[in-house]
Amino acid sequence: MTGKAPPLGFFFYRTMTRAVSPLVPLLLRRREARGKEDPARLGERLGVASRPRPEGSLVWLHGASVGESLSILPLVTRLLAARPGLHVLVTTGTVTSARLMAERLPDGAVHQYVPLDHPDYCARFIDHWRPDLAVWIESEFWPNLIAAADRHGVPLALVNARITARSAHNWRHAPAFIADLLSRFRLIMAQDRASAARLRELGAAEVLEPGNLKHDAPALSVDEAELARLRAMTAGRTIWIATNTHEGEERAAGEAHARLAAEHPGLLTIVVPRHPARGQAIGQELAAAGLSVARRATGDTITPATQIYLADTLGEVGLFYSLADIVFIGGTLDDTGGHNPFEAARFGCALLAGPSDFNFAEAFPAFEEAGAMLRVADAASLAAAAARLLASAAECKHMGAAAQRIASGDSGATERTLDALLALLPAPEARSANHA
């Protein structure tokens, strides 16, 4: 525990979260109606566990959503292997990530929804799970939850930490608040140099730079039978992909398709939205632009007339990376900051991306410098870059090989992070004494 009084900002935040608690049921009902909460597990959001705590040592890892939770899967596996009898609790805040964790967490690991950041919910959560080590992934700071864990003497670690220039700027308006939060972490490991520098500026005493856990994540899974079925449906067609797209980027992909189709009859563009729930709206937008759209979520078949295949389902991105050699990485034509380029690179895909890349501020330039990525600015330049690669199989293959070389190397980030966490984790005999 830090053993020092929190700043006034924390007391104000704590008071405000208590004051709005009567609105929590309404908030949860609205989120449930929009498909953003699991009605069977709403109690978890109030700190009420849906399963008993297992006996023995337990490490708790928290990631906000899909990207963070997937990035820690190798770390979870190695933690369980390194400490026999250990259990792992993974918390996230989204329905999508909960479904993926249910499918992919190994034996010895369980998932729960993270409680809303209310003092009582957080205390209830910590009292039940009594973690021996708490690990935050990337950048989601929940002050009440961090304080509750610290108050119970739980060692805290912040790993694969990422903080953007915008977030750092916002935190500078509450310097004592963020400095206090950071001081509660016994270990802080940043995923890149820029994040490390910003964390130090915000008050972190020591920040290690072990590398990015997302670099070491395994290749996405592929259903081979479904892949064979899709290949049969698309045989002889030229295919490219726009993946992890956000609002506006689907329209750009559609415009690019229209520009490319004249030179490439039979072209098929696969659009994989970041949020599959937007599928119906995206399909309507593209159809209104005069494009023939087939939606995967509704079971539509790809026919010779299909121009856009809207892959609005969950957990199948690897399937589509297996179908094409050219991939546009979404979240780069708006202010999102880009999504994980390593996933497509592991499949040997040539990469296209817009200018917004602050979520992977070192990775995107590295792919570009290695000749694995072309940058675009809008629908017209996206079409031009895709046309360039469609016209040159040799360049496309060269770019894909360069991307795969970068993505296939083990950066060592997972192993270095594992060693640091094991050093924080109390030995089993110490745990027995502390929890007696």
Side-chain angles (χ1 to χ4, degrees):
M1 292 179 286
T2 58
K4 64 179 183 179
L8 288 176
F10 175 78
F11 288 110
F12 176 75
Y13 175 84
R14 190 176 180 87
T15 300
M16 289 300 296
T17 52
R18 284 193 182 280
V20 301
S21 59
L23 300 177
V24 168
L26 176 62
L27 168 67
L28 290 176
R29 283 198 299 271
R30 285 188 173 180
R31 286 178 56 82
E32 180 186 341
R34 296 164 61 193
K36 293 189 174 184
E37 295 288 348
D38 183 342
R41 297 174 62 181
L42 286 180
E44 294 174 27
R45 300 294 261 157
L46 306 179
V48 179
S50 61
R51 60 174 67 208
R53 185 202 189 280
E55 293 295 325
S57 299
L58 182 139
V59 174
W60 162 38
L61 297 98
H62 171 66
S65 188
V66 173
E68 295 87 346
S69 56
L70 290 178
S71 72
I72 61 171
L73 287 176
L75 185 59
V76 170
T77 300
R78 295 195 193 188
L79 275 168
L80 293 169
R83 185 69 67 86
L86 179 70
H87 298 273
V88 171
L89 167 69
V90 174
T91 58
T92 62
T94 66
V95 172
T96 302
S97 59
R99 291 173 183 163
L100 287 175
M101 290 300 97
E103 296 172 359
R104 302 188 188 186
L105 281 176
D107 291 341
V110 298
H111 174 270
Q112 294 277 279
Y113 284 103
V114 67
L116 298 176
D117 203 43
H118 182 284
D120 295 343
Y121 309 159
C122 296
R124 190 180 296 145
F125 174 87
I126 297 295
D127 285 342
H128 175 83
W129 290 104
R130 305 186 314 279
D132 296 278
L133 174 63
V135 184
W136 257 257
I137 313 300
E138 294 206 7
S139 61
E140 188 169 74
F141 297 123
W142 292 116
N144 286 321
L145 193 53
I146 291 171
D150 184 42
R151 212 165 33 246
H152 280 70
V154 180
L156 294 167
L158 176 61
V159 306
N160 219 42
R162 175 181 65 86
I163 187 162
T164 65
R166 180 187 301 173
S167 294
H169 173 76
N170 291 338
W171 275 117
R172 289 188 188 102
H173 296 295
F177 196 170
I178 185 60
D180 174 73
L181 287 178
L182 293 173
S183 73
R184 296 172 186 266
F185 290 96
R186 299 190 195 180
L187 171 71
I188 298 180
M189 307 179 85
Q191 66 176 239
D192 55 53
R193 288 187 297 272
S195 289
R198 292 175 189 129
L199 287 164
R200 293 185 188 107
E201 290 172 4
L202 293 174
E206 181 181 8
V207 182
L208 305 180
E209 300 177 39
N212 192 333
L213 291 178
K214 290 181 178 177
H215 192 144
D216 296 344
L220 297 175
S221 60
V222 176
D223 183 330
E224 293 298 335
E226 184 60 16
L227 177 59
R229 191 179 78 89
L230 286 175
R231 280 179 171 160
M233 275 196 286
T234 58
R237 299 188 67 172
T238 301
I239 304 173
W240 74 290
I241 300 174
T243 186
N244 284 312
T245 56
H246 290 253
E247 187 172 357
E249 291 179 324
E250 296 91 10
R251 183 171 60 253
E255 292 175 9
H257 176 96
R259 292 171 184 264
L260 292 166
E263 294 296 324
H264 300 276
L267 176 71
L268 178 67
T269 297
I270 300 177
V271 175
V272 187
R274 178 66 174 179
H275 303 291
R278 296 179 51 239
Q280 182 177 356
I282 296 168
Q284 291 172 346
E285 178 184 39
L286 294 174
L291 296 165
S292 175
V293 181
R295 286 183 59 199
R296 185 166 179 81
T298 55
D300 295 347
T301 301
I302 301 174
T303 70
T306 302
Q307 296 170 294
I308 306 289
Y309 188 50
L310 184 54
D312 52 345
T313 54
L314 180 66
E316 295 189 303
V317 183
L319 184 65
F320 306 113
Y321 289 155
S322 301
L323 286 173
D325 298 322
I326 303 169
V327 173
F328 165 72
I329 306 295
T332 58
L333 287 180
D334 60 5
D335 61 355
T336 299
H339 291 292
N340 192 343
F342 294 101
E343 293 177 344
R346 289 189 184 95
F347 286 82
C349 299
L351 307 178
L352 306 176
S356 180
D357 64 3
F358 55 79
N359 289 332
F360 292 86
E362 294 180 7
F364 274 65
F367 279 109
E368 190 175 9
E369 290 166 13
M373 176 183 287
L374 297 177
R375 294 298 190 121
V376 301
D378 50 27
S381 57
L382 175 59
R388 169 178 159 180
L389 296 180
L390 291 173
S392 176
E395 183 179 10
C396 186
K397 184 176 181 180
H398 175 80
M399 286 180 62
Q404 196 166 42
R405 280 195 299 273
I406 293 176
S408 62
D410 187 337
S411 72
T414 301
E415 199 63 37
R416 288 188 284 272
T417 302
L418 173 68
D419 290 343
L421 293 179
L422 289 174
L424 277 184
L425 182 62
E429 56 272 18
R431 187 207 177 272
S432 299
N434 292 338
H435 290 262

